[in-house]
């Protein structure tokens, strides 16, 4: 081997770099173990300890700080560490409307509605669909009349064409997504999560956010979805608004069926005008025997039955309206009903245009979830606030004089001047506090606080205070400082993993990895004797380098990533097997060991490179088109393939040649394996039609099953929410489904057994985009589960919106097609015969169809999930890579035999049979080692990976089968047909 010095140098450098990259994890673990010993179970004490040494040197010799080494330890994904994965979608509909100043034009709004409806079934973006729909509805219409505003004057003129408007909107949409990405990144960076990850999904309006270790889901949702639309409003006094509410109540009462008793709430006499805490607790604690009085109250006072006026009891015992901007109180469960009432057309007509009603952001009673309703006074024809939030230059969390958390705002100079004027007007007469007005501070349509102003604020520095926690003020300051999102951002996909599930995943992943490694090492020793030791050293080096490279590039380990590691272990032996089988052939020709090794490596290079490159193609495609855990799998697989080629070709050869130089005896088989496959003469070509029939039966049965029974689609392919729930005692899936059907308002979920518990899939409220919908759904879930009377734990939760699910399906189909096309092109180029490429495509299609058929046929008949989801697509692509790897090795030997002058007189079937028989030992050994590993992964990898590993196992079995009985026989079919066509010409 030439350039041994370079190879040795590269191996030494790679070893040192891997040791250095992995050392950060060992140092971090040592420091954190010291912290655990110091804290003795006190988590807050443990955190304080780690915070105190954050900037202290902890790495020997190099003096790296704890913070430095912590950032460079092996990163664990959400499924191993627990945490939250969120897919944000920037709502470009709101942007398109706001750029046109929210027009009321019917054609404009209908076109936008149509575009939104067509988005899931079209490859075009929202802007293109909107322009297209507008031109359909108004062929001569000009969009410029909406967009040639004062704000857009520099870019859009009144005579601009629709295509120019489209270009303008595309530019603004791209800018909005990029700005949203930067704003969200700023918020997340200040959130305090270790190793957060935020990615802009190219070519879309989606942003992927990963927050390992996060447990407070609501806090994350508020942080990410808050658009930071900060506004300052003057307020109305309760006495000014009560008559309006009274009129609304009377209108609603008039709609009710007539009853004998008719009572309408008034300021002086109302059956529910009590002090607010007593009123709300009485309403909540009412027993069934009082239900008739509650019903009567709801009929006579529909609004005031659920919205309590803000009153207080005076010294004379009379109820009076409470002064201030709060006009009412309601339980959280009633706020949606009240909003629906105010949205009715006849009710909206009673509320003046210069009155806006907003709920407070926090419950004033945490026990009963009571929220305040405020009345604010917008200005101008479009209902603008007195001051917009873009005047804020800085914000920070702080504490007031009483030690309560608050947010301090600092305004820009122009904002400070306007703020001084507004606060001076609100302060009123300094002689009378009764003249003091309140100013409501509104963020994203929720009132954070509405304090009375005692005097003007001249310097633009003021505070937002309320019943806040330290974390809430920190997040609020973060949002204000990061800035306002240019368009609303909604969570369309969510994946939450509990820390206990993460620990189980790590344990099972380690067990399956170690067990798989041990099995492969023992198998290589059993089959190749002393040469097996050398292959095992190369395999261990491969594993070490893989871990080191993953750590050095900051790649995230996921559970599918561990599966990729296990699979890499199985596939890494292939190159060694190819080399050893060629060396054995050379030894049988009577060559010396030294010459046999040199020729064996030389003859194996072509098959090793071709087989690994084709597998690499599918891995790269999966890496580019995958995300989240699947990206971790693809990253591991790609790095593993590259490293395994290096260790098999170079490290193995260095060890072999050194052993030969030291006159060590090296055997390449044991007494049991020496004669295995020796002189095999199986006629693959002659019996090919029997295998065609076998494959056809499976595929046809599968197609019938697909059209009759279908598939079990995972939540990421059909949209919805899925929860993994563990119970302390066994619970029937029928009982779980029944309890949740009632809780989900007769929307029956899908409930399947899953390990020690169940997996629940539901599309309940999946199209609801309101900010608190996740809280509502989780509340309904817990409501149903609690009725079972068994202790439970929600260990995993995932949400995928319908548009995301559609995009995932589309990208999965493209990934499979792209992989097949790329492999076809590579094989045609390398083998210079289209027949080889076409036969490879037939084999790949065969493998995919068989796998789909088996998943449909067995769905519901095996005690584990066979969902078609992203993990299944990853398995399909990997199986394709493995199958083509196997096929290319066979093709390489067929090509070699076809080009050998000694075979010129042989018939094509004979040449193909000889080639297949000569590679049979390699095919079986590689297949068996990979199958052993996948069986271990299937048994020990845990429930999450069971369906994935089953797909891989079936795929590898049929991938090996197709390379022998489908791909190569089809080469014969195509070459014969091509020769006949030439003869006819």
């Amino acid at each position: 081997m030439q350039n041994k010095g370079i190879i040795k140098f590269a191996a030494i450098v790679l070893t040192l770099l891997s040791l250095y990259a992995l050392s950060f994890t060992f140092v971090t673990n040592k420091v954190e173990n010291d912290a655990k010993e110091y804290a003795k179970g006190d988590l807050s004490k443990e955190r304080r300890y780690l915070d105190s040494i954050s900037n202290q040197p902890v790495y020997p010799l190099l003096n790296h700080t704890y913070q430095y080494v912590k950032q460079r330890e092996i990163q664990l994904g959400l499924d191993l560490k627990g945490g939250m994965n969120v897919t944000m979608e920037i709502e470009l509909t709101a942007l398109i409307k706001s750029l046109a100043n929210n027009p009321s034009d019917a054609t404009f709004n209908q076109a936008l509605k149509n575009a939104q409806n067509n988005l899931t079934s079209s490859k075009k973006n929202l802007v293109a669909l909107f322009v297209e729909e507008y031109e359909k509805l108004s062929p001569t219409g000009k969009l410029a009349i909406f967009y040639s505003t004062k704000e857009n004057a520099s870019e859009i003129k009144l005579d601009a064409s629709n295509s120019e408007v489209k270009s303008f909107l595309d530019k603004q949409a791209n800018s909005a997504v990029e700005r949203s990405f930067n704003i969200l990144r700023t918020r997340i960076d200040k959130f305090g999560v270790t190793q957060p990850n935020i990615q802009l999904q190219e070519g879309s309006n989606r942003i992927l956010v990963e927050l390992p270790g996060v447990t407070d889901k609501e806090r994350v949702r508020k942080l990410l979805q808050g658009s930071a639309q900060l506004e300052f409003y003057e307020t109305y006094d309760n006495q000014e608004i009560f008559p309006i509410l009274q009129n609304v109540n009377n209108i609603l009462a008039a709609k009710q069926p007539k009853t004998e008793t008719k009572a309408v709430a008034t300021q002086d006499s109302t059956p529910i005008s009590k002090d607010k805490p007593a009123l709300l607790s009485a309403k909540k604690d009412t027993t069934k025997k009082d239900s008739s009085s509650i019903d009567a109250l709801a009929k006579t006072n529909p609004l005031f039955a659920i919205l309590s006026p803000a009153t207080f009891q005076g010294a004379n015992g009379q109820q009076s309206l409470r002064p201030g901007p709060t006009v009412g109180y309601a339980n959280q469960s009633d706020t949606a009903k009240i909003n629906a009432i105010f949205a009715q057309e006849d009710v909206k007509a009673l509320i003046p245009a210069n009155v806006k009603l907003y709920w407070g952001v926090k419950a004033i009673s945490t026990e009963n979830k009571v929220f305040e309703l405020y009345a604010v006074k917008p200005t101008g024809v479009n209902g603008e606030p007195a001051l917009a939030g873009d005047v804020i230059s800085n914000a920070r969390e702080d504490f007031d004089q009483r030690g309560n958390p608050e947010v301090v705002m600092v305004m820009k100079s122009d904002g400070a001047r306007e703020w001084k004027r507004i606060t001076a007007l609100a302060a009123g007469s300094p002689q009378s506090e009764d003249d003091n007005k309140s100013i409501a501070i509104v963020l994203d349509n929720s009132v954070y606080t509405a304090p009375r102003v005692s005097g003007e604020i001249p310097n633009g520095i003021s505070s937002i205070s309320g019943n806040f926690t330290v974390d809430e003020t920190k997040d609020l300051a973060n949002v204000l400082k990061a800035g306002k999102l240019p368009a609303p951002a909604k969570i369309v996909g969510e994946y939450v993993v509990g820390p206990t599930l993460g620990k189980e995943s790590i344990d099972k992943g380690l067990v399956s990895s170690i067990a798989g490694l041990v099995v492969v090492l023992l198998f290589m020793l059993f089959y190749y004797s002393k040469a097996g030791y050398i292959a095992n050293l190369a395999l261990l080096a491969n594993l070490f380098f893989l871990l080191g490279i993953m750590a050095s590039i900051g790649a995230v380990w996921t559970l599918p990533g561990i599966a990729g590691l296990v699979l890499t272990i199985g596939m890494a032996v292939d190159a060694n097997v190819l080399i050893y089988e060629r060396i054995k052939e050379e030894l049988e020709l009577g060559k010396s060991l030294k010459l046999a090794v040199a020729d064996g490596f030389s003859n194996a290079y072509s098959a090793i490179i071709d087989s690994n490159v084709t597998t690499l193609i599918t891995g790269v495609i999966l890496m580019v088109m995958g995300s989240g855990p699947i990206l971790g799998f693809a990253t591991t697989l790609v790095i593993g393939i590259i490293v395994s080629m290096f260790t098999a070709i170079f490290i193995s050869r260095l060890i072999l040649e050194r052993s030969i130089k030291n006159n060590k005896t090296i055997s390449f088989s044991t007494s049991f394996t020496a004669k295995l496959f020796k002189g095999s003469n199986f006629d693959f070509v002659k019996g090919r039609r029997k295998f065609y029939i076998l494959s056809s039966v499976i595929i046809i049965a599968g197609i019938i099953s697909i059209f009759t029974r279908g598939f079990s689609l995972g939540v990421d392919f059909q949209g919805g929410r899925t929860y993994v729930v563990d119970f302390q005692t066994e619970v029937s899936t029928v009982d779980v489904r029944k309890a949740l059907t009632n809780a989900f308002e007769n929307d029956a979920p899908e409930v399947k057994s899953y390990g020690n518990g169940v997996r629940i899939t539901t599309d309940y409220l999946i199209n609801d985009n309101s900010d608190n919908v996740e809280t509502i759904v989780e509340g309904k879930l817990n409501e149903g589960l609690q009725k079972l009377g068994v202790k439970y734990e929600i260990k995993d939760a995932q949400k995928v919106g319908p548009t995301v699910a559609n995009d995932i399906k589309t990208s999965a189909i493209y990934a499979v097609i792209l992989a097949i096309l790329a492999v076809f092109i590579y094989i045609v180029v390398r083998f210079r015969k289209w027949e080889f490429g076409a036969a490879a495509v037939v084999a790949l299609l065969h493998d995919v169809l068989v796998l789909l058929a088996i998943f449909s046929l067995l769905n519901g008949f095996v005690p584990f999930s066979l969902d078609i989801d992203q993990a299944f697509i990853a398995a399909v692509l990997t199986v394709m890579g493995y199958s083509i790897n196997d096929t290319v090795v066979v093709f390489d030997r067929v090509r070699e035999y076809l080009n050998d002058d000694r075979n010129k007189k042989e018939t094509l079937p004979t040449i193909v049979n000889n080639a297949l028989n000569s590679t049979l030992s390699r095919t079986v050994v590689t297949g068996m080692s990979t199958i052993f590993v996948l069986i271990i992964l299937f048994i020990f990898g845990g429930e999450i990976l069971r369906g994935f590993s089953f797909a891989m196992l079936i795929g590898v079995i049929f991938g090996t089968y197709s390379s022998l009985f489908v791909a190569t026989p089809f080469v014969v079919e195509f070459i014969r047909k091509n020769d006949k066509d030439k003869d006819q010409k």
Side-chain angles (χ1 to χ4, degrees):
M1 181 175 63
Q2 301 295 320
N3 302 316
K4 289 183 183 178
I6 295 175
I7 301 302
K8 290 179 182 178
F9 177 77
I12 292 170
V13 170
L14 194 54
T15 300
L16 293 175
L17 290 176
S18 296
L19 282 171
Y20 180 65
L22 294 171
S23 67
F24 294 118
T25 301
F26 292 111
V27 173
T28 302
N29 287 339
K30 182 182 182 305
V31 172
E32 292 177 352
N33 287 334
D34 291 343
K36 285 187 174 85
E37 289 181 16
Y38 169 78
K40 300 187 184 305
D42 187 335
L43 293 178
S44 61
K45 192 175 181 181
E46 183 181 331
R47 282 195 296 270
R48 286 197 301 272
Y49 176 89
L50 293 174
D51 288 341
S52 68
I53 64 166
S54 176
N55 295 313
Q56 298 296 318
V58 295
Y59 194 104
L61 300 177
L62 298 177
N63 290 330
H64 293 318
T65 64
Y66 169 68
Q67 184 178 8
Y68 183 89
V69 298
K70 179 66 177 175
Q71 291 173 345
R72 288 160 179 78
E73 70 171 338
I74 292 176
Q75 296 187 37
L76 299 180
L78 304 186
D79 50 0
L80 296 177
K81 190 176 184 178
M84 197 168 181
N85 176 307
V86 175
T87 300
M88 305 292 299
E89 187 170 79
I90 309 304
E91 290 193 342
L92 298 180
T93 305
L95 179 70
I96 291 172
K97 290 185 72 173
S98 66
L99 288 171
N101 286 335
N102 300 306
S104 57
D105 183 79
T107 304
F108 180 99
N109 288 303
Q110 187 60 49
L112 191 54
K113 183 179 179 181
N114 293 347
Q116 188 71 31
N117 292 337
N118 295 337
L119 193 58
T120 55
S121 59
S122 175
K123 296 178 182 178
K124 297 179 181 178
N125 62 29
L126 182 65
V127 170
L129 289 172
F130 165 63
V131 174
E132 187 179 284
E133 289 296 325
Y134 182 80
E135 290 177 342
K136 284 180 184 177
L137 296 172
S138 179
T140 59
K142 300 278 288 183
L143 283 167
I145 62 173
F146 302 107
Y147 291 101
S148 59
T149 62
K150 180 181 177 181
E151 294 79 9
N152 305 332
S154 62
E155 297 188 68
I156 292 294
K157 307 299 181 185
L158 190 57
D159 60 348
S161 66
N162 286 349
S163 71
E164 289 175 316
V165 172
K166 178 181 177 298
S167 298
F168 164 73
L169 291 176
D170 278 329
K171 178 182 175 183
Q172 293 297 320
N174 292 334
S175 174
V177 173
E178 288 178 7
R179 281 183 289 150
S180 298
F181 172 74
N182 291 327
I183 290 169
L184 289 173
R185 183 171 58 188
T186 302
R187 292 183 188 180
I188 291 164
D189 286 344
K190 298 178 184 297
F191 186 69
V193 177
T194 304
Q195 298 171 332
N197 178 35
I198 177 168
Q199 297 175 3
L200 177 61
Q201 295 185 339
E202 294 297 332
S204 75
N205 57 327
R206 296 201 187 108
I207 297 168
L208 179 68
V209 179
E210 289 186 347
L211 302 171
V214 166
T215 56
D216 192 341
K217 297 174 288 187
E218 276 306 305
R219 184 182 172 197
V220 171
R221 290 168 186 154
K222 287 179 181 178
L223 177 77
L224 295 180
Q225 293 188 123
S227 63
Q229 183 178 344
L230 180 67
E231 298 168 322
F232 301 91
Y233 285 96
E234 297 178 34
T235 62
Y236 289 97
D237 192 79
N238 185 16
Q239 292 182 352
E240 299 175 87
I241 299 299
F242 182 80
I244 298 172
L245 299 181
Q246 194 175 41
N247 289 338
V248 172
N249 186 70
N250 292 341
I251 287 287
L252 296 174
K255 295 180 182 180
Q256 300 294 322
K258 292 184 178 180
T259 58
E260 294 181 6
T261 305
K262 184 176 181 180
V264 178
T266 66
Q267 178 178 343
D268 299 318
S269 175
T270 169
I272 61 169
S273 58
K274 301 175 183 178
D275 194 49
K276 65 178 189 290
L279 166 69
L280 291 165
S281 61
K283 180 176 183 294
K284 186 173 182 68
D285 297 334
T286 302
T287 59
K288 290 182 180 179
K289 65 181 180 181
D290 299 320
S291 61
S292 59
S293 61
I294 292 176
D295 292 340
L297 180 63
K299 288 181 179 179
T300 55
N301 292 280
L303 177 63
F304 291 139
I306 54 178
L307 177 67
S308 303
T311 63
F312 72 101
Q313 187 170 336
N316 56 4
Q318 293 293 317
Q319 294 290 329
S320 301
L321 291 173
R322 188 183 297 277
T326 302
V327 299
Y329 305 91
N331 287 315
Q332 184 181 30
S333 58
D334 291 326
T335 56
K337 300 174 188 175
I338 296 168
N339 291 341
I341 288 172
F342 289 141
Q344 295 175 16
E345 290 300 324
D346 53 349
V347 172
K348 284 199 296 186
L350 297 174
I351 302 174
N354 62 342
V355 174
K356 282 186 177 181
L357 299 172
Y358 288 131
W359 293 104
V361 72
K362 284 201 71 175
I364 60 171
S365 168
T366 54
E367 180 182 353
N368 295 327
K369 296 288 185 183
V370 179
F371 285 79
E372 296 173 284
L373 184 67
Y374 293 85
V376 303
K377 186 184 298 183
T379 61
V381 294
N382 293 320
E384 294 93 347
L387 190 64
D390 54 7
V391 298
I392 302 295
S393 64
N394 195 12
R396 69 177 187 275
E397 69 270 20
D398 208 336
F399 296 90
D400 62 18
Q401 294 177 345
R402 297 180 180 179
N404 298 319
E406 67 176 6
V407 174
V408 176
M409 303 178 297
V410 181
M411 295 184 176
K412 301 173 186 174
S413 56
D414 54 343
R417 286 192 297 270
E418 184 64 14
W419 187 236
K420 178 181 178 181
R421 183 188 68 80
I422 294 168
T423 53
L425 289 173
S429 170
Q431 284 77 30
S432 173
E433 289 188 5
D434 293 338
D435 292 337
N436 294 354
K437 299 292 184 183
S438 297
I439 292 180
I441 300 175
V442 180
L443 180 67
D444 294 336
N445 297 329
S446 294
V447 177
Y448 272 67
T449 185
R452 283 187 178 274
V453 181
S454 57
E456 71 173 32
I457 302 174
N459 57 6
I461 301 176
S462 47
S463 65
I464 301 176
S465 59
N467 185 25
F468 300 134
T469 65
V470 173
D471 280 344
E472 285 168 340
T473 55
K474 186 182 295 183
D475 290 346
L476 177 56
N478 182 0
V479 168
L480 296 177
K481 189 160 45 179
K484 175 183 175 182
L485 290 174
K490 294 293 181 183
I491 293 175
V492 294
E494 184 178 289
Y495 181 39
V496 182
V497 183
T500 56
L501 184 62
K503 186 178 184 306
E504 288 177 18
S505 299
I506 291 175
D507 294 341
K508 290 174 180 177
L510 287 174
V511 168
S512 59
S513 297
I514 293 171
L517 178 62
V518 169
V519 167
V520 171
L521 294 176
L522 292 175
F523 182 75
M524 292 299 286
L525 289 175
F526 163 76
Y527 199 89
Y528 287 111
S529 186
K530 291 185 178 179
Y533 285 102
I534 297 173
N536 287 343
L537 286 174
L539 183 59
L540 292 172
N542 172 58
L543 183 61
F544 173 69
F545 292 149
L546 173 60
L547 293 172
I549 292 171
M550 290 280 286
S552 65
I553 65 174
V556 179
W557 279 102
T558 61
L559 194 56
I562 292 180
L565 173 66
V566 174
L567 182 64
T568 299
I569 293 170
M571 294 179 66
V573 302
D574 183 55
N576 282 109
V577 171
L578 281 169
I579 292 166
Y580 286 179
E581 292 301 316
R582 295 306 296 246
I583 291 174
K584 286 164 68 176
E585 290 179 14
E586 300 301 324
L587 288 172
E588 289 171 3
L589 294 174
K591 295 182 180 179
S592 66
L593 179 59
K594 183 177 180 180
L595 184 59
V597 167
D599 289 348
F601 271 91
S602 178
N603 293 332
Y605 284 154
S606 175
I608 292 173
I609 292 171
D610 286 337
S611 60
N612 279 279
V613 167
T614 49
T615 309
L616 194 61
I617 288 172
T618 58
V620 169
I621 290 171
L622 191 60
M623 198 172 174
V624 171
M625 305 191 76
S627 62
I630 303 307
L631 181 60
F633 169 77
T635 303
T636 308
L637 188 63
V638 168
I639 295 174
I641 291 170
I642 295 171
V643 173
S644 65
M645 288 177 65
F646 173 78
T647 54
I649 294 175
F650 299 115
I651 302 298
S652 293
R653 186 162 185 178
L654 282 174
I655 299 173
L656 270 172
E657 291 186 348
R658 184 174 183 82
S659 299
I660 293 170
K661 186 177 180 181
N662 293 335
N663 296 320
K664 291 184 178 179
T665 303
I666 301 173
S667 55
F668 289 87
S669 58
T670 63
S671 57
F672 180 79
T673 61
K675 296 183 180 181
L676 276 179
F677 307 109
K678 186 78 69 175
S680 61
N681 192 27
F682 192 87
D683 196 337
F684 295 92
V685 176
K686 184 178 181 180
R688 66 189 184 281
R689 288 183 174 80
K690 296 177 184 177
F691 299 108
Y692 293 168
I693 293 171
L694 173 63
S695 296
S696 299
V697 167
I698 296 173
I699 292 171
I700 291 170
I703 292 173
I704 294 171
S705 177
I706 290 168
F707 282 101
T708 54
R709 300 180 67 241
F711 293 111
S712 173
L713 293 179
V715 69
D716 46 2
F717 271 21
Q718 66 179 347
R721 295 178 178 85
T722 183
Y723 303 92
V724 173
V725 182
D726 265 12
F727 295 97
Q728 282 195 352
T729 57
E730 189 173 343
V731 177
S732 165
T733 56
V734 175
D735 292 339
V736 176
R737 185 182 297 107
K738 183 178 178 181
L740 292 177
T741 300
N742 294 331
F744 290 151
E745 301 172 5
N746 293 323
D747 189 341
E750 178 188 83
V751 182
K752 294 180 179 179
S753 296
Y754 196 84
N756 297 324
V758 297
R759 187 167 68 178
I760 301 158
T761 303
T762 176
D763 58 2
Y764 177 65
L765 296 184
I766 193 60
N767 292 311
D768 188 334
N769 292 320
S770 57
D771 291 346
N772 63 339
V773 66
E774 298 306 320
T775 304
I776 294 171
V777 175
E778 288 168 9
K780 293 287 187 182
L781 175 70
N782 283 300
E783 177 187 319
L785 294 174
Q786 286 166 6
K787 290 180 180 177
L788 297 170
V790 178
K791 287 187 177 181
Y792 65 89
E793 179 187 0
I794 300 174
K795 307 185 78 172
D796 182 283
Q798 184 178 9
K799 170 199 170 182
V800 178
T803 55
V804 178
N806 184 69
D807 288 351
I808 290 172
K809 281 191 290 188
T810 303
S811 64
I813 293 169
Y814 285 155
V816 173
I817 294 173
L818 184 59
I820 291 174
L821 181 62
V823 166
F824 173 76
I825 293 171
Y826 180 83
I827 290 178
V828 170
V829 171
R830 281 290 290 152
F831 288 83
R832 298 180 183 178
K833 279 183 176 289
W834 68 265
E835 291 90 349
F836 285 99
V841 169
V842 169
L844 290 178
L845 290 173
H846 165 274
D847 297 340
V848 172
L849 290 173
V850 167
L851 196 51
L852 289 170
I854 290 175
F855 260 59
S856 180
L857 289 166
L858 296 184
N859 184 39
F861 298 105
V862 291
F864 52 88
S865 171
L866 289 182
D867 284 353
I868 305 295
D869 52 17
Q870 286 192 87
F872 175 80
I873 296 302
V876 168
L877 285 171
T878 310
V879 165
M880 288 169 59
Y882 178 88
S883 175
I884 202 66
N885 178 305
D886 210 23
T887 300
V888 165
V889 170
V890 175
F891 281 2
D892 186 80
R893 189 59 69 94
V894 171
R895 177 180 57 180
E896 180 183 331
Y897 277 36
L898 285 172
N899 294 332
D900 193 331
D901 292 337
R902 291 172 295 182
N903 295 322
K904 291 295 183 183
K905 295 181 180 180
E906 300 288 351
T907 63
L908 181 62
T910 302
I911 294 173
V912 169
N913 279 327
N914 290 340
L916 287 171
N917 281 289
S918 67
T919 60
L920 192 57
S921 58
R922 172 263 161 199
T923 301
V924 172
V925 171
T926 300
M928 290 298 292
S929 60
T930 309
I931 288 170
F932 287 155
V933 170
L934 289 172
I935 289 173
I936 289 169
L937 186 64
F938 177 78
I939 296 171
F940 299 109
E943 195 67 35
I944 294 176
L945 282 179
R946 194 141 291 148
F948 172 81
S949 54
F950 179 75
M952 293 287 297
L953 185 59
I954 297 299
V956 167
I957 292 171
F958 277 92
T960 305
Y961 161 87
S962 69
S963 65
L964 294 172
F965 304 110
V966 178
T968 317
F970 260 93
V971 170
V972 176
E973 307 281 8
F974 288 138
I975 291 178
R976 279 180 168 177
K977 185 178 184 305
N978 192 31
D979 291 341
K980 286 180 180 179
D981 291 341
K982 288 179 180 179
D983 292 340
Q984 289 174 359
K985 291 179 181 179

